[in-house]
Amino acid sequence: MQFAHPSFLWLFLLFIPLIAWYIWKQRNANATLSLSSTAAFDRLPRSPKEYLRYFLFVLRLATLACVIIILARPQVKDSWRVTSTEGTDIVIAMDVSSSMLARDFTPDRFGAAKEVAAKFIAGREADNIGIVIFAGESLTGVPMTVDRSQLLSYLQNLNMNMLEDGTAIGDGIATALNRLKEGKAKSKSIILLTDGSNNTGVVAPVTASEVAKEMGVKIYTIGVGTNGEAPYPTRNSITGAIEFTPQPVVIDEATLQTIANSTGGKYFRATGNKVLRDVFTEIDALEKTQMDVRHFSHTEDDYMLWAWLALGFFALELILRYTILRSIP
């Protein structure tokens, strides 16, 4: 048992002056009668009530003690439970460049990628997962965590235009690798979603994949885009409105395949919503390693026993005081 407000336990110090006051009061509360001799009363037995009257004060102290404990808020002690389970460290690196708004997916590539990523995260309860986004630059969206609510909330609120436009695949991989350094699982993986080819950034994709290979990190690359043409968003030069114009889908599949193969991963081409879901289903069968997971049990107030005891002690004192231990003024 633990207490939410242990400072209230200092109130037990009040028992010292209360006991001292009671002893002093008892010494000075007895009625007196002057007699020439008490020899006639020496052999009279003492009544049990003479001792039981002190029990009333004990009951009052017990009631007060229970009230003090209730004020301190007794709680069920927090506990950690360690279980052995299978898990891996995963970073989802997602392309958020403007081309991800192309509508060859429903509602678009960006919306479809968020949906399948959210379902993937929700199903990986034992994994340590992080999210990295990249366009013309890269950014850590969520560091490595087992908090599914935080990951899903971030994906739900993730919007376009958060980064400068472009496709910096190498920078996205490099940021993901930095996040994986924090993980403790033996199996580490990056799931990279992109719909284009590297056209900006500081780190070359192949260079980043070589670092991943040295770190023992597998990279699963996903090329997002239908075959042929897709309606891409373009801004009308006169009205400024966003229009969707059919344009050829160009994905640097050769580089994505090289990245995946060199790290022991796999390359996938997602040409539609269903294919993208199937890709994540296949990746969901990633190798897993044994790891210890610590589960935390929340605290709960546990004061009802003390409340019933306080009520019982107080009721017993009243019953005794006005029945068998009743005093005549």
Side-chain angles (χ1 to χ4, degrees), residues 51-83:
Y51 301 100
L52 282 177
R53 63 192 180 92
Y54 301 116
F55 184 58
L56 296 176
F57 181 67
V58 174
L59 288 174
R60 182 161 298 185
L61 289 181
T63 303
L64 181 59
C66 291
V67 172
I68 292 174
I69 292 175
I70 292 172
L71 290 174
R73 283 186 63 190
Q75 297 177 328
V76 176
K77 185 178 180 180
D78 296 342
S79 63
W80 288 96
R81 180 171 52 90
V82 180
T83 59

Side-chain angles (χ1 to χ4, degrees), residues 207-265:
T207 302
S209 67
E210 291 174 354
V211 176
K213 182 179 179 180
E214 293 178 359
M215 292 177 58
V217 177
K218 292 182 180 180
I219 303 179
Y220 294 83
T221 55
I222 305 174
V224 183
T226 188
N227 294 315
E229 293 186 341
Y232 282 85
T234 57
R235 188 174 297 277
N236 189 298
S237 59
I238 299 176
T239 63
I242 298 296
E243 299 176 349
F244 288 85
T245 306
Q247 295 180 19
V249 176
V250 180
I251 300 176
D252 189 356
E253 292 190 278
T255 299
L256 295 179
Q257 287 177 341
T258 300
I259 293 171
N261 294 336
S262 65
T263 59

Side-chain angles (χ1 to χ4, degrees), residues 132-246:
V132 167
I133 59 174
F134 66 92
E137 53 189 340
S138 62
L139 174 70
T140 298
V142 181
M144 303 296 293
T145 181
V146 294
D147 188 346
R148 298 291 171 268
S149 60
Q150 181 182 1
L151 292 163
L152 295 176
S153 176
Y154 179 81
L155 279 178
Q156 183 179 2
N157 297 311
L158 181 60
N159 297 312
M160 304 293 290
N161 304 319
M162 295 181 65
L163 301 174
E164 181 182 350
D165 204 15
T167 306
I169 296 175
D171 287 6
I173 296 174
T175 302
L177 290 173
N178 283 331
R179 299 284 69 81
L180 284 171
K181 290 180 180 179
E182 306 165 6
K184 297 181 179 179
K186 294 180 180 179
S187 176
K188 301 177 184 291
S189 309
I190 296 173
I191 302 175
L192 179 81
L193 296 94
T194 184
D195 66 345
S197 57
N198 191 80
N199 54 27
T200 187
V202 178
V203 182
V206 176
T207 302
S209 67
E210 291 174 354
V211 176
K213 182 179 179 180
E214 293 178 359
M215 292 177 58
V217 177
K218 292 182 180 180
I219 303 179
Y220 294 83
T221 55
I222 305 174
V224 183
T226 188
N227 294 315
E229 293 186 341
Y232 282 85
T234 57
R235 188 174 297 277
N236 189 298
S237 59
I238 299 176
T239 63
I242 298 296
E243 299 176 349
F244 288 85
T245 306

Side-chain angles (χ1 to χ4, degrees), residues 240-319:
I242 298 296
E243 299 176 349
F244 288 85
T245 306
Q247 295 180 19
V249 176
V250 180
I251 300 176
D252 189 356
E253 292 190 278
T255 299
L256 295 179
Q257 287 177 341
T258 300
I259 293 171
N261 294 336
S262 65
T263 59
K266 188 175 180 180
Y267 169 70
F268 302 90
R269 176 65 184 271
T271 57
N273 289 66
K274 183 180 183 305
V275 179
L276 185 58
R277 288 193 295 269
D278 292 342
V279 166
F280 268 85
T281 300
E282 183 172 346
I283 295 176
D284 193 40
L286 286 169
E287 61 181 279
K288 301 176 182 178
T289 56
Q290 288 293 123
M291 62 187 300
D292 291 334
V293 179
R294 301 182 72 198
H295 302 275
F296 180 70
S297 60
H298 67 282
T299 59
E300 293 182 357
D301 288 339
D302 187 25
Y303 61 86
M304 287 304 300
L305 173 62
W306 302 102
W308 283 112
L309 286 175
L311 181 62
F313 290 144
F314 183 68
L316 181 59
E317 181 197 356
L318 289 179
I319 293 172

